[in-house]
Amino acid sequence: MSARVLGLELRRSAALWAGLAVAPAALTVAQAGNGMAVVIGDQRQALILMMPLATAVGAWQARRDRRSGTSDLLGTSPRPAWHRYAHTAAALGIGVVVAYALILVVAAVFAARVGAHYPVDYWVKSMIVTAWLTAAVLLGAAIGRAISWVVTPPLAALSMLVGLTAIALFTDTEVGPGPHPGTWLLPPAPSYDSYITLLTPEAARAQLVWAISCAAAAGLLYVATRWLPLVALGVAGAGLVAAMTLLPEYLHQGVQMDETAVVPVCTPEEPVVCALRVHPLVLDDLRGPGGEALTALSERLPNPPNRVEEAYYSWTGYPDPWMPEPARDVVSAEIYTDGSGRLALTPTETLWSVALGAGTAACPNVPQEMWDRDATARVVAAAWVLQETPPEPDPDGYFNWIPPPNVTRPAYEALLGLPEDVQYAQVAAYRDSALACTGEDRLALLLDGES
Amino acid sequence: MVRAVDPAETTPTPFAWAVHAEGLVVKAGKRVAVDHLDLRLGDGIHGLLGPNGAGKTTLVRALATVLKPVEGSLEVLGHDLTDHTDLRPLRRTIGYLPQEFGFYRRFTLREFVEYIAWLKEVPASEIPAAAQRAIDRVGLADRADHRMKTLSGGMVRRAGIAQAIINDPRVLLLDEPTAGLDPDQRLDFRALLRTLAADTCVLVSTHLVEDVAAACSDVILLDEGRLVFSGTPADLAEAGGTESSEAGGDSATERGYSSIMRAHREMG
């Protein structure tokens, strides 16, 4: 490899444009407040856009000789053609990798400034994304060299976009034993991968092996003369076989909980509110409404909770979700964060989120036909604790799941119509049931005292 | 700048002619463009003349190893070009300016010439000096760091000549090298050719008869792929007779060219 020629290609080829192909990844920096796992996860999904762009740039670069009319001149040079292509391929690869690395560094700096979480496999996931980007730009170059038409770059990009979109739309990633674990080998990752999960070592190795072998095969296809296309196919095939043997038996077994991400970070003084390790900035926003809700709960409930913790759950433990154990003295509040890692709820929404279900988390095992009744019970219990009328549903906001007022308000008034000691007793019974997540009709328990 | 002489350059060559063709047939697509041509070229400047479609460019492309002969024999510096295997050593010793000189528009002149030097396997440590020397020789030193796309047509042609001589070739093939050059640049080009001629076989394909008369040691005339004339520029001029003769042309050489071509066509 000639450093002089490589430098020349970096300056004068489409290597810089290849770097711009990863621009969609820059948008994910806005998620840095939620930790690097979210950033990388979003970047993985952004491959649907980045890979077609990289393919187009590679195909454009590969048409340079045709565009420039240099085939006679370069075809009579003593140096084998693959030397030229290898330097161009290296420049394209470096363009993509450096641009993506810069974005990662910027995101990491933002994440570090807000104290967001850096799981170790942040590097592994980013290497997988890098390998896919490199594979895309080199595959584009191989296509552009083989089919040197003006329309090749846009057609190659469009084909890649359609292919990846179809994969995203039609791949079965439902939780459970159904989906094939090979889904992990597709560029956009299954949605199991979240801010509190890590790839298992097996799944990470399988994805890395497959993505790198695809990049190597695409590179060989681009520089190929004579027998090298067969070697490229061999490399891709060997990578696929190796990856398949590394994959877990079921799709959902490709991720595991990042137990360090869900460690609670709490305020040192009363009221005690806690956020997940990945969302340290939430504490400032949660303290006021969380404390107000704790006060209301302590005034209305026997054995009231004394702290609020950010809720979480993950299907990594299928068939049971991974979620905090219900505890009488802890409210597990379902809250949302924005890209900067701050609370995405208004103080009122936060207050209600803590008071929902009289300070209990939603149970994961509610049958679908009972969802509306369970939701109504949760809202009515919160309204009783806060002594406020149930809010109206907000299609675009946090309250989008709340049943309409003609359901919640009659139920709330029915509860208020009961004698006061009965109200206290039935709310306490409701709370016991919600903490135990037993399969009862909790709206009936709340309003009638029996399910 | 004084160039170091490689011992190989002073070693006696194992071949009599730099270019030697016998019964050479080369096709341009499906058309026979060079038709049973016999040719022997040694060191010096050889002008290749002929009308459009005479087979000049096809012959140059065959010598440059772009096209493979379909019949006859063709040797360049002792390498048999009827078999296109292991051309690498030969290609290191050839300089080639195609008729349609393609280049990378985003490269600077220096970058492009250095890139071609790398492709011609000039030792890495020698590339910067070799590129500077080639650029100086074509008079583009003040444009060395300009992008190729900003050069005028004449400058691009000179850049093409610079890349062709970057490896100090033993055989230099120039297809229409003076196209786009102004009169001063053509004079400079002829002077450059003379400096190369001592130890190089230079083949200049052109339709400008006066360039051949002024710069070449001998002339080859092709028509419809066949050799029509081979001799010195003086022989060509002599064939044209006097100004009052029937042959058209402003100079004796042009009249000689016209006269020979007309005679050949009348015979054919």
Side-chain angles (χ1 to χ4, degrees), chain A residues 172-369:
Chain A
D172 181 6
T173 58
E174 287 297 307
V175 173
H180 193 276
T183 305
W184 278 118
L185 300 184
L186 302 173
S191 52
Y192 296 128
D193 209 3
S194 78
Y195 65 105
I196 55 172
T197 57
L198 301 173
L199 293 172
T200 61
E202 295 78 14
R205 277 198 291 270
Q207 292 177 67
L208 259 182
V209 165
W210 171 231
I212 289 173
S213 64
C214 283
L220 286 172
L221 271 181
Y222 174 48
V223 305
T225 51
R226 295 177 188 173
W227 40 265
L228 269 179
L230 290 177
V231 176
L233 288 177
V235 168
L240 182 60
V241 170
M244 292 298 285
T245 58
L246 286 168
L247 280 174
E249 187 176 0
Y250 298 114
L251 183 64
H252 67 267
Q253 292 170 333
V255 285
Q256 59 190 357
M257 276 298 296
D258 178 5
E259 295 185 31
T260 62
V262 294
V263 170
V265 179
C266 302
T267 55
E269 72 285 339
E270 299 287 335
V272 179
V273 296
C274 307
L276 301 182
R277 167 74 187 82
V278 287
H279 296 143
L281 299 184
V282 161
L283 285 182
D284 289 343
D285 304 325
L286 188 58
R287 183 182 287 117
E292 192 181 334
L294 282 176
T295 303
L297 288 164
S298 67
E299 289 171 354
R300 304 283 275 174
L301 296 175
N303 303 315
N306 55 26
R307 59 197 274 158
V308 176
E309 289 187 1
E310 180 183 352
Y312 61 89
Y313 77 89
S314 158
W315 285 104
T316 52
Y318 179 85
D320 299 316
W322 181 293
M323 57 191 297
E325 283 291 320
R328 183 167 292 280
D329 57 345
V330 176
V331 180
S332 198
E334 294 173 30
I335 56 176
Y336 298 103
T337 55
D338 62 18
S340 65
R342 308 290 299 224
L343 206 55
L345 307 180
T346 65
T348 303
E349 289 170 336
T350 309
L351 177 70
W352 278 85
S353 73
V354 178
L356 280 171
T360 60
C363 291
N365 56 352
V366 176
Q368 192 168 354
E369 64 274 14

Side-chain angles (χ1 to χ4, degrees), chain B residues 59-126:
Chain B
L59 175 60
V60 171
R61 294 181 81 207
L63 293 171
T65 72
V66 177
L67 298 175
K68 189 176 170 184
V70 294
E71 201 179 316
S73 69
L74 176 61
E75 287 186 0
V76 175
L77 301 175
H79 293 261
D80 181 5
L81 294 192
T82 54
D83 178 13
H84 264 201
T85 56
D86 195 22
L87 292 172
R88 203 166 168 178
L90 172 64
R91 284 174 167 172
R92 288 193 195 107
T93 61
I94 292 179
Y96 174 41
L97 171 65
Q99 186 180 40
E100 303 289 336
F101 170 53
F103 54 88
Y104 295 157
R105 290 167 52 81
R106 299 188 69 238
F107 282 40
T108 66
L109 169 59
R110 185 189 307 282
E111 288 169 344
F112 189 71
V113 173
E114 288 185 350
Y115 185 68
I116 297 296
W118 175 73
L119 288 177
K120 291 188 174 178
E121 301 186 320
V122 174
S125 60
E126 296 174 18

Side-chain angles (χ1 to χ4, degrees), chain A residues 110-131:
Chain A
F110 274 105
R113 284 178 61 187
V114 298
H117 186 48
Y118 277 67
V120 175
D121 85 338
Y122 145 65
W123 293 106
V124 180
K125 289 180 181 175
S126 60
M127 283 169 66
I128 294 167
V129 174
T130 306

Side-chain angles (χ1 to χ4, degrees), chain A residues 2 4-5 8-9 11-14 16-17 64-65 68-70 72-80 83-84 87-88, chain B residues 61 64-66 88 91-92 96 98 101-104 106-108 111-112 114-116 118-121 124 128 147 163:
Chain A
S2 161
R4 179 194 305 278
V5 175
L8 194 52
E9 291 286 20
R11 290 197 304 278
R12 304 300 185 205
S13 74
L16 292 176
W17 293 104
R64 180 174 64 177
D65 288 355
S68 308
T70 52
D72 258 23
L73 183 64
L74 304 185
T76 57
S77 67
R79 192 171 286 282
H83 286 208
R84 277 193 287 129
H87 283 76
T88 312
Chain B
R61 294 181 81 207
T65 72
V66 177
R88 203 166 168 178
R91 284 174 167 172
R92 288 193 195 107
Y96 174 41
F101 170 53
F103 54 88
Y104 295 157
R106 299 188 69 238
F107 282 40
T108 66
E111 288 169 344
F112 189 71
E114 288 185 350
Y115 185 68
I116 297 296
W118 175 73
L119 288 177
K120 291 188 174 178
E121 301 186 320
R147 296 275 185 101
Q163 65 79 27

